Amino acid sequence: MSTIDLISADGDRSRTSGHDVPPSALKFITCGSVDDGKSTLIGRLLLDSRAVLQDHLAGVQRGGQTDLALLTDGLSAEREQGITIDVAYRYFATEERKFIIGDAPGHEQYTRNMVTAASSADAAVVLVDASKLDWQNPQLALLPQTRRHALLAHLLRVHSLVFAVNKLDAVADPALAYRHIQGALARFAQAAGMDMGAAVPLSALEGWNVVDAHPGWCGYAGPTLLQVLEALPNTPADTGLPLSLPVQWVEKNPASSDISRGRRIFWGRVATGSVAPGSAVQIFPSGQSATVAQVLDHARRPGPALAGRSAGIILDRELDVSRGDWILAAPMSVAPAPATPATPVSAPATAATDPACAPAWPPRRELRTTVAWLDDEPLVAGRVYWALHGHRWVKAKVRAVLHKLDIDTLAEEPATQLGPNAIGHVDLQLQEALPTMPFQQARVPGSLILVDSASHKTAGAVLVN
């Protein structure tokens, strides 16, 4: 389990162990165009919330001034060029909540890094640099990278979207600039079908409206950015769907003398639904059925596991299960069935062979998808890539490029290829069927990653429609 998971799990345990306890840790990213002030904003959040140690602070002094961007830009190349290249994670806490920040790069070349960070985030803070816009124009146009990052966050089901209008202290009329930029953001969000959580005017450099309020500035009387973040909800887990769990690791236990059940533990993170002892499951792709004998959490404590949590599953029999396989809910009855007592199932499941039952996760070979293309080589019909679904690798062929999404007008345009950082609709044909579902319904089973089979570079993020 990663550091991020441990912090999130600690927040969840706090929520369930007492009455007046803070909510779960919030994972959020900062994104936007290069030099919009993302690293400086995070540095200001850390500094003003007193999350920076004195020796760390002494190491980011430049000419007697604190360079806030250096608190997150840790790579030597980042410090030399003054830009963020890789995603940097930082952790801090207030009296109200714990936070995990992902500082995503703003340069278009590193959009793939931003997509990686957004794929697991609860919220996105999109920076808008007021000094780069025609702020005196009521119908001003937003920067393409601002639109692209906001659109990608929306496509990736990031639950909350907050716009931070930065560098308003650098324009002549901050109140007018904020009013016009807020209007442009509202129009863009409405056209894209996004819910705009808030648009906070701030100066990351001066610290205005970041942690401490700057009353009356820009005519704004709302909460500060930190207060907005403290109130945001976490992304709800896909617990209302049938069970799906991609097997990440198979733990062997040959020393066990208990032969009444399987002796191997299948570890992974529950993608959807829940699993508990007695659950009837089916293994993909073999189609073998079994019953769950025991469920362990990350600390090997027995108990049920919900979507979003890591779990180890022990079956009631030995089956051929490897890394990359899926443990799915057993096929369900098509016709309504009478209620049955909630007793653990001990007999072998026969639903897989029952014609009256339908698979909970019907496998599909042909997918209509939305692709965020990240490679330098354009996506064209006919090319074959490796596709990663959960922990399973299959070959995927591009059947057709249907549309390209114009990030300025959000309109679908006819296209025959997708260039770097373009977003479009693509038909894929898989070498073998996969248990998928539309991404809007299930985040993990509804997404794939395309990898160039020659260069092994991550080429595209795929969302199943």
Side-chain angles (χ1 to χ4, degrees):
M1 175 172 275
S2 67
T3 304
I4 294 175
D5 295 330
L6 288 171
I7 292 175
S8 300
D10 182 62
D12 279 358
R13 283 197 295 276
S14 301
R15 183 173 52 183
T16 56
S17 61
H19 298 290
D20 298 322
V21 294
S24 300
L26 184 79
K27 291 182 282 187
F28 72 92
I29 63 168
T30 57
C31 50
S33 299
V34 66
D35 287 336
D36 277 356
K38 298 180 291 300
S39 298
T40 302
L41 175 63
I42 292 178
R44 175 59 66 185
L45 274 171
L46 297 174
L47 182 66
D48 289 359
S49 60
R50 296 175 177 78
V52 183
L53 300 176
Q54 285 296 326
D55 56 343
H56 192 187
L57 196 59
V60 296
Q61 299 294 318
R62 295 291 182 270
Q65 299 292 323
T66 302
D67 189 339
L68 296 172
L70 296 182
L71 288 171
T72 55
D73 289 341
L75 299 177
S76 58
E78 292 177 328
R79 296 194 174 200
E80 288 171 5
Q81 300 181 52
I83 62 172
T84 301
I85 295 176
D86 202 356
V87 181
Y89 288 99
R90 292 293 182 272
Y91 317 96
F92 77 103
T94 66
E95 292 182 356
E96 301 295 328
R97 199 170 197 183
K98 293 180 179 179
F99 295 97
I100 305 166
I101 315 173
D103 182 16
H107 199 284
E108 188 174 326
Q109 178 183 354
Y110 304 115
T111 300
R112 73 192 69 179
N113 302 28
M114 176 268 168
V115 170
T116 302
S119 63
S120 61
D122 296 310
V125 177
V126 182
L127 271 288
V128 180
D129 186 344
S131 65
K132 294 179 182 175
L133 300 176
D134 182 17
W135 56 268
Q136 295 171 311
N137 180 3
Q139 301 299 320
L140 63 88
L142 300 172
L143 295 178
Q145 194 70 338
T146 304
R147 290 172 168 269
R148 180 179 289 110
H149 280 188
L151 201 56
L152 283 170
H154 177 61
L155 287 173
L156 291 166
R157 282 181 62 188
V158 176
H159 198 61
S160 301
L161 196 63
V162 176
F163 290 99
V165 187
N166 192 25
K167 301 187 183 181
L168 282 166
D169 57 312
V171 301
D173 190 341
L176 181 66
Y178 173 62
R179 189 163 63 248
H180 288 171
I181 294 172
Q182 185 187 33
L185 292 170
R187 290 192 296 274
F188 171 67
Q190 183 179 16
M194 298 185 293
D195 291 328
M196 188 172 69
V200 182
L202 55 85
S203 169
L205 189 63
E206 302 293 341
W208 298 343
N209 287 340
V210 179
V211 173
D212 301 314
H214 196 63
W217 187 53
C218 298
Y220 180 76
T224 65
L225 179 63
L226 181 62
Q227 291 170 331
V228 170
L229 294 173
E230 287 177 335
L232 289 180
N234 292 94
T235 301
D238 296 321
T239 55
L241 297 170
L243 168 69
S244 67
L245 180 148
V247 177
Q248 183 179 14
W249 177 44
V250 179
E251 179 184 342
K252 295 176 287 187
N253 186 17
S256 174
S257 59
D258 185 1
I259 59 172
S260 63
R261 61 184 189 180
R263 293 186 293 176
R264 295 181 298 161
I265 308 175
F266 306 110
W267 291 96
R269 180 173 297 175
V270 182
T272 59
S274 61
V275 60
S279 299
V281 298
Q282 186 177 46
I283 307 302
F284 180 87
S286 68
Q288 301 172 95
S289 298
T291 300
V292 175
Q294 190 175 25
V295 179
L296 305 174
D297 69 4
H298 67 281
R300 295 180 178 274
R301 294 172 299 209
L306 298 174
R309 292 297 169 210
S310 297
I313 295 179
I314 301 174
L315 301 178
D316 66 335
R317 71 198 67 181
E318 291 289 2
L319 294 180
D320 180 10
V321 182
S322 305
R323 173 183 168 88
D325 291 352
W326 286 77
I327 298 177
L328 306 173
M332 298 178 293
S333 174
V334 176
T340 54
T343 54
V345 179
S346 57
T350 58
T353 57
D354 188 344
C357 293
W361 294 89
R364 300 163 59 191
R365 285 191 63 193
E366 296 182 354
L367 304 177
R368 179 149 294 182
T369 66
T370 298
V371 175
W373 194 243
L374 311 173
D375 200 359
D376 297 330
E377 295 290 329
L379 173 75
V380 295
R383 283 208 58 178
V384 177
Y385 296 88
W386 280 110
L388 177 63
H389 180 246
H391 301 289
R392 188 171 192 82
W393 291 94
V394 300
K395 287 287 186 67
K397 182 178 181 180
V398 180
R399 291 186 60 198
V401 178
L402 304 176
H403 300 105
K404 175 183 174 183
L405 193 62
D406 187 316
I407 62 167
D408 291 319
T409 64
L410 305 175
E412 292 181 343
E413 299 177 344
T416 57
Q417 66 177 33
L418 293 183
N421 299 307
I423 303 171
H425 296 158
V426 176
D427 280 349
L428 296 177
Q429 184 168 22
L430 306 176
Q431 188 179 38
E432 59 182 83
L434 292 175
T436 61
M437 184 174 276
F439 182 79
Q440 290 302 318
Q441 299 177 28
R443 204 169 185 171
V444 177
S447 59
L448 301 90
I449 295 173
L450 294 182
V451 176
D452 190 297
S453 56
S455 66
H456 304 295
K457 290 167 45 178
T458 301
V462 180
L463 314 177
V464 179
N465 294 335

mmCIF file of all heavy atoms in Angstrom, residues 278-308:
data_model
loop_
_atom_site.group_PDB
_atom_site.id
_atom_site.type_symbol
_atom_site.label_atom_id
_atom_site.label_comp_id
_atom_site.label_asym_id
_atom_site.label_seq_id
_atom_site.Cartn_x
_atom_site.Cartn_y
_atom_site.Cartn_z
ATOM 1 N N GLY A 278 -18.475 -15.724 1.764
ATOM 2 C CA GLY A 278 -19.754 -16.217 1.264
ATOM 3 C C GLY A 278 -20.139 -15.652 -0.085
ATOM 4 O O GLY A 278 -21.069 -16.151 -0.718
ATOM 5 N N SER A 279 -19.427 -14.622 -0.565
ATOM 6 C CA SER A 279 -19.748 -14.039 -1.878
ATOM 7 C C SER A 279 -19.437 -15.046 -2.978
ATOM 8 O O SER A 279 -18.363 -15.647 -2.998
ATOM 9 C CB SER A 279 -18.939 -12.761 -2.105
ATOM 10 O OG SER A 279 -19.223 -11.787 -1.128
ATOM 11 N N ALA A 280 -20.376 -15.227 -3.906
ATOM 12 C CA ALA A 280 -20.148 -16.088 -5.073
ATOM 13 C C ALA A 280 -19.437 -15.271 -6.138
ATOM 14 O O ALA A 280 -19.873 -14.162 -6.481
ATOM 15 C CB ALA A 280 -21.473 -16.610 -5.606
ATOM 16 N N VAL A 281 -18.324 -15.800 -6.646
ATOM 17 C CA VAL A 281 -17.518 -15.051 -7.609
ATOM 18 C C VAL A 281 -17.204 -15.917 -8.816
ATOM 19 O O VAL A 281 -17.357 -17.149 -8.789
ATOM 20 C CB VAL A 281 -16.191 -14.554 -6.970
ATOM 21 C CG1 VAL A 281 -16.469 -13.610 -5.814
ATOM 22 C CG2 VAL A 281 -15.346 -15.742 -6.507
ATOM 23 N N GLN A 282 -16.775 -15.244 -9.871
ATOM 24 C CA GLN A 282 -16.352 -15.921 -11.095
ATOM 25 C C GLN A 282 -15.010 -15.329 -11.522
ATOM 26 O O GLN A 282 -14.813 -14.104 -11.443
ATOM 27 C CB GLN A 282 -17.390 -15.730 -12.199
ATOM 28 C CG GLN A 282 -17.095 -16.536 -13.458
ATOM 29 C CD GLN A 282 -18.190 -16.363 -14.511
ATOM 30 O OE1 GLN A 282 -18.622 -15.253 -14.788
ATOM 31 N NE2 GLN A 282 -18.650 -17.464 -15.073
ATOM 32 N N ILE A 283 -14.109 -16.204 -11.969
ATOM 33 C CA ILE A 283 -12.783 -15.751 -12.382
ATOM 34 C C ILE A 283 -12.803 -15.422 -13.861
ATOM 35 O O ILE A 283 -13.324 -16.203 -14.668
ATOM 36 C CB ILE A 283 -11.717 -16.834 -12.092
ATOM 37 C CG1 ILE A 283 -11.794 -17.270 -10.627
ATOM 38 C CG2 ILE A 283 -10.327 -16.301 -12.418
ATOM 39 C CD1 ILE A 283 -11.617 -16.154 -9.632
ATOM 40 N N PHE A 284 -12.263 -14.281 -14.224
ATOM 41 C CA PHE A 284 -12.114 -13.910 -15.627
ATOM 42 C C PHE A 284 -10.642 -14.001 -15.988
ATOM 43 O O PHE A 284 -9.804 -13.516 -15.237
ATOM 44 C CB PHE A 284 -12.614 -12.478 -15.864
ATOM 45 C CG PHE A 284 -12.482 -12.047 -17.297
ATOM 46 C CD1 PHE A 284 -13.479 -12.302 -18.215
ATOM 47 C CD2 PHE A 284 -11.320 -11.403 -17.737
ATOM 48 C CE1 PHE A 284 -13.333 -11.926 -19.539
ATOM 49 C CE2 PHE A 284 -11.168 -11.033 -19.056
ATOM 50 C CZ PHE A 284 -12.181 -11.291 -19.961
ATOM 51 N N PRO A 285 -10.246 -14.663 -17.086
ATOM 52 C CA PRO A 285 -11.099 -15.102 -18.195
ATOM 53 C C PRO A 285 -11.496 -16.572 -18.130
ATOM 54 O O PRO A 285 -12.211 -17.030 -19.034
ATOM 55 C CB PRO A 285 -10.202 -14.865 -19.402
ATOM 56 C CG PRO A 285 -8.835 -15.150 -18.901
ATOM 57 C CD PRO A 285 -8.817 -14.686 -17.473
ATOM 58 N N SER A 286 -11.072 -17.325 -17.133
ATOM 59 C CA SER A 286 -11.305 -18.774 -17.167
ATOM 60 C C SER A 286 -12.780 -19.127 -17.020
ATOM 61 O O SER A 286 -13.216 -20.188 -17.488
ATOM 62 C CB SER A 286 -10.500 -19.447 -16.050
ATOM 63 O OG SER A 286 -11.004 -19.090 -14.783
ATOM 64 N N GLY A 287 -13.569 -18.269 -16.356
ATOM 65 C CA GLY A 287 -14.984 -18.548 -16.156
ATOM 66 C C GLY A 287 -15.264 -19.489 -14.998
ATOM 67 O O GLY A 287 -16.415 -19.849 -14.760
ATOM 68 N N GLN A 288 -14.211 -19.899 -14.257
ATOM 69 C CA GLN A 288 -14.421 -20.797 -13.130
ATOM 70 C C GLN A 288 -15.134 -20.063 -11.985
ATOM 71 O O GLN A 288 -14.898 -18.881 -11.754
ATOM 72 C CB GLN A 288 -13.074 -21.322 -12.634
ATOM 73 C CG GLN A 288 -12.287 -22.084 -13.689
ATOM 74 C CD GLN A 288 -10.886 -22.408 -13.194
ATOM 75 O OE1 GLN A 288 -10.651 -23.492 -12.677
ATOM 76 N NE2 GLN A 288 -9.978 -21.474 -13.351
ATOM 77 N N SER A 289 -15.969 -20.795 -11.271
ATOM 78 C CA SER A 289 -16.740 -20.205 -10.178
ATOM 79 C C SER A 289 -16.226 -20.703 -8.836
ATOM 80 O O SER A 289 -15.660 -21.798 -8.733
ATOM 81 C CB SER A 289 -18.216 -20.554 -10.321
ATOM 82 O OG SER A 289 -18.736 -20.020 -11.520
ATOM 83 N N ALA A 290 -16.428 -19.892 -7.823
ATOM 84 C CA ALA A 290 -16.011 -20.251 -6.478
ATOM 85 C C ALA A 290 -16.777 -19.390 -5.485
ATOM 86 O O ALA A 290 -17.560 -18.514 -5.863
ATOM 87 C CB ALA A 290 -14.500 -20.065 -6.311
ATOM 88 N N THR A 291 -16.529 -19.659 -4.224
ATOM 89 C CA THR A 291 -17.105 -18.863 -3.145
ATOM 90 C C THR A 291 -15.976 -18.303 -2.299
ATOM 91 O O THR A 291 -14.978 -18.993 -2.039
ATOM 92 C CB THR A 291 -18.029 -19.732 -2.265
ATOM 93 O OG1 THR A 291 -19.083 -20.262 -3.084
ATOM 94 C CG2 THR A 291 -18.635 -18.910 -1.140
ATOM 95 N N VAL A 292 -16.124 -17.059 -1.876
ATOM 96 C CA VAL A 292 -15.089 -16.426 -1.059
ATOM 97 C C VAL A 292 -15.122 -17.027 0.344
ATOM 98 O O VAL A 292 -16.165 -17.021 1.014
ATOM 99 C CB VAL A 292 -15.311 -14.901 -1.001
ATOM 100 C CG1 VAL A 292 -14.307 -14.248 -0.050
ATOM 101 C CG2 VAL A 292 -15.197 -14.301 -2.393
ATOM 102 N N ALA A 293 -13.960 -17.564 0.776
ATOM 103 C CA ALA A 293 -13.885 -18.156 2.117
ATOM 104 C C ALA A 293 -13.466 -17.130 3.162
ATOM 105 O O ALA A 293 -13.922 -17.183 4.308
ATOM 106 C CB ALA A 293 -12.893 -19.329 2.109
ATOM 107 N N GLN A 294 -12.582 -16.231 2.790
ATOM 108 C CA GLN A 294 -12.112 -15.213 3.748
ATOM 109 C C GLN A 294 -11.624 -13.987 2.989
ATOM 110 O O GLN A 294 -11.106 -14.095 1.869
ATOM 111 C CB GLN A 294 -10.975 -15.761 4.616
ATOM 112 C CG GLN A 294 -10.599 -14.849 5.778
ATOM 113 C CD GLN A 294 -9.555 -15.471 6.686
ATOM 114 O OE1 GLN A 294 -8.778 -16.330 6.265
ATOM 115 N NE2 GLN A 294 -9.514 -15.042 7.942
ATOM 116 N N VAL A 295 -11.809 -12.818 3.612
ATOM 117 C CA VAL A 295 -11.317 -11.555 3.047
ATOM 118 C C VAL A 295 -10.423 -10.901 4.088
ATOM 119 O O VAL A 295 -10.776 -10.812 5.273
ATOM 120 C CB VAL A 295 -12.491 -10.609 2.691
ATOM 121 C CG1 VAL A 295 -11.957 -9.296 2.127
ATOM 122 C CG2 VAL A 295 -13.429 -11.270 1.690
ATOM 123 N N LEU A 296 -9.228 -10.450 3.652
ATOM 124 C CA LEU A 296 -8.280 -9.784 4.532
ATOM 125 C C LEU A 296 -8.089 -8.352 4.058
ATOM 126 O O LEU A 296 -8.132 -8.068 2.856
ATOM 127 C CB LEU A 296 -6.931 -10.509 4.523
ATOM 128 C CG LEU A 296 -6.959 -12.005 4.872
ATOM 129 C CD1 LEU A 296 -5.573 -12.599 4.684
ATOM 130 C CD2 LEU A 296 -7.449 -12.217 6.298
ATOM 131 N N ASP A 297 -7.861 -7.430 5.013
ATOM 132 C CA ASP A 297 -7.524 -6.068 4.612
ATOM 133 C C ASP A 297 -6.008 -5.948 4.483
ATOM 134 O O ASP A 297 -5.281 -6.935 4.597
ATOM 135 C CB ASP A 297 -8.122 -5.043 5.578
ATOM 136 C CG ASP A 297 -7.458 -5.083 6.953
ATOM 137 O OD1 ASP A 297 -6.494 -5.844 7.134
ATOM 138 O OD2 ASP A 297 -7.906 -4.351 7.843
ATOM 139 N N HIS A 298 -5.506 -4.717 4.256
ATOM 140 C CA HIS A 298 -4.082 -4.538 3.995
ATOM 141 C C HIS A 298 -3.222 -4.930 5.198
ATOM 142 O O HIS A 298 -2.034 -5.199 5.050
ATOM 143 C CB HIS A 298 -3.799 -3.095 3.606
ATOM 144 C CG HIS A 298 -4.021 -2.111 4.709
ATOM 145 N ND1 HIS A 298 -5.288 -1.669 5.066
ATOM 146 C CD2 HIS A 298 -3.172 -1.506 5.559
ATOM 147 C CE1 HIS A 298 -5.190 -0.828 6.058
ATOM 148 N NE2 HIS A 298 -3.923 -0.705 6.380
ATOM 149 N N ALA A 299 -3.814 -4.965 6.386
ATOM 150 C CA ALA A 299 -3.082 -5.370 7.581
ATOM 151 C C ALA A 299 -3.392 -6.820 7.971
ATOM 152 O O ALA A 299 -3.131 -7.216 9.101
ATOM 153 C CB ALA A 299 -3.410 -4.438 8.749
ATOM 154 N N ARG A 300 -3.981 -7.562 7.046
ATOM 155 C CA ARG A 300 -4.334 -8.973 7.222
ATOM 156 C C ARG A 300 -5.399 -9.187 8.300
ATOM 157 O O ARG A 300 -5.454 -10.227 8.941
ATOM 158 C CB ARG A 300 -3.094 -9.822 7.532
ATOM 159 C CG ARG A 300 -2.110 -9.875 6.385
ATOM 160 C CD ARG A 300 -0.896 -10.720 6.709
ATOM 161 N NE ARG A 300 0.020 -10.790 5.570
ATOM 162 C CZ ARG A 300 -0.069 -11.676 4.579
ATOM 163 N NH1 ARG A 300 -1.009 -12.583 4.616
ATOM 164 N NH2 ARG A 300 0.780 -11.664 3.577
ATOM 165 N N ARG A 301 -6.211 -8.187 8.517
ATOM 166 C CA ARG A 301 -7.328 -8.346 9.442
ATOM 167 C C ARG A 301 -8.537 -8.829 8.665
ATOM 168 O O ARG A 301 -8.850 -8.291 7.600
ATOM 169 C CB ARG A 301 -7.650 -7.013 10.125
ATOM 170 C CG ARG A 301 -6.547 -6.522 11.051
ATOM 171 C CD ARG A 301 -6.832 -5.137 11.534
ATOM 172 N NE ARG A 301 -6.911 -4.191 10.439
ATOM 173 C CZ ARG A 301 -6.607 -2.906 10.534
ATOM 174 N NH1 ARG A 301 -6.187 -2.411 11.671
ATOM 175 N NH2 ARG A 301 -6.700 -2.097 9.493
ATOM 176 N N PRO A 302 -9.245 -9.858 9.132
ATOM 177 C CA PRO A 302 -10.410 -10.358 8.392
ATOM 178 C C PRO A 302 -11.577 -9.385 8.449
ATOM 179 O O PRO A 302 -11.762 -8.678 9.445
ATOM 180 C CB PRO A 302 -10.729 -11.675 9.116
ATOM 181 C CG PRO A 302 -10.170 -11.509 10.488
ATOM 182 C CD PRO A 302 -8.956 -10.642 10.355
ATOM 183 N N GLY A 303 -12.348 -9.369 7.375
ATOM 184 C CA GLY A 303 -13.526 -8.501 7.323
ATOM 185 C C GLY A 303 -13.858 -8.158 5.893
ATOM 186 O O GLY A 303 -13.041 -8.357 4.988
ATOM 187 N N PRO A 304 -15.066 -7.659 5.633
ATOM 188 C CA PRO A 304 -15.465 -7.312 4.259
ATOM 189 C C PRO A 304 -14.660 -6.125 3.739
ATOM 190 O O PRO A 304 -14.080 -5.358 4.518
ATOM 191 C CB PRO A 304 -16.954 -6.966 4.409
ATOM 192 C CG PRO A 304 -17.101 -6.543 5.844
ATOM 193 C CD PRO A 304 -16.114 -7.352 6.618
ATOM 194 N N ALA A 305 -14.654 -5.971 2.436
ATOM 195 C CA ALA A 305 -13.930 -4.861 1.808
ATOM 196 C C ALA A 305 -14.830 -4.195 0.778
ATOM 197 O O ALA A 305 -15.522 -4.862 0.006
ATOM 198 C CB ALA A 305 -12.657 -5.371 1.136
ATOM 199 N N LEU A 306 -14.827 -2.863 0.779
ATOM 200 C CA LEU A 306 -15.617 -2.073 -0.163
ATOM 201 C C LEU A 306 -14.742 -1.557 -1.288
ATOM 202 O O LEU A 306 -13.506 -1.616 -1.216
ATOM 203 C CB LEU A 306 -16.277 -0.897 0.575
ATOM 204 C CG LEU A 306 -17.267 -1.240 1.679
ATOM 205 C CD1 LEU A 306 -17.699 0.034 2.398
ATOM 206 C CD2 LEU A 306 -18.484 -1.953 1.105
ATOM 207 N N ALA A 307 -15.374 -1.050 -2.334
ATOM 208 C CA ALA A 307 -14.650 -0.495 -3.477
ATOM 209 C C ALA A 307 -13.685 0.598 -3.018
ATOM 210 O O ALA A 307 -14.011 1.416 -2.155
ATOM 211 C CB ALA A 307 -15.647 0.087 -4.475
ATOM 212 N N GLY A 308 -12.498 0.570 -3.595
ATOM 213 C CA GLY A 308 -11.474 1.545 -3.244
ATOM 214 C C GLY A 308 -10.484 1.039 -2.222
ATOM 215 O O GLY A 308 -9.481 1.714 -1.954
#
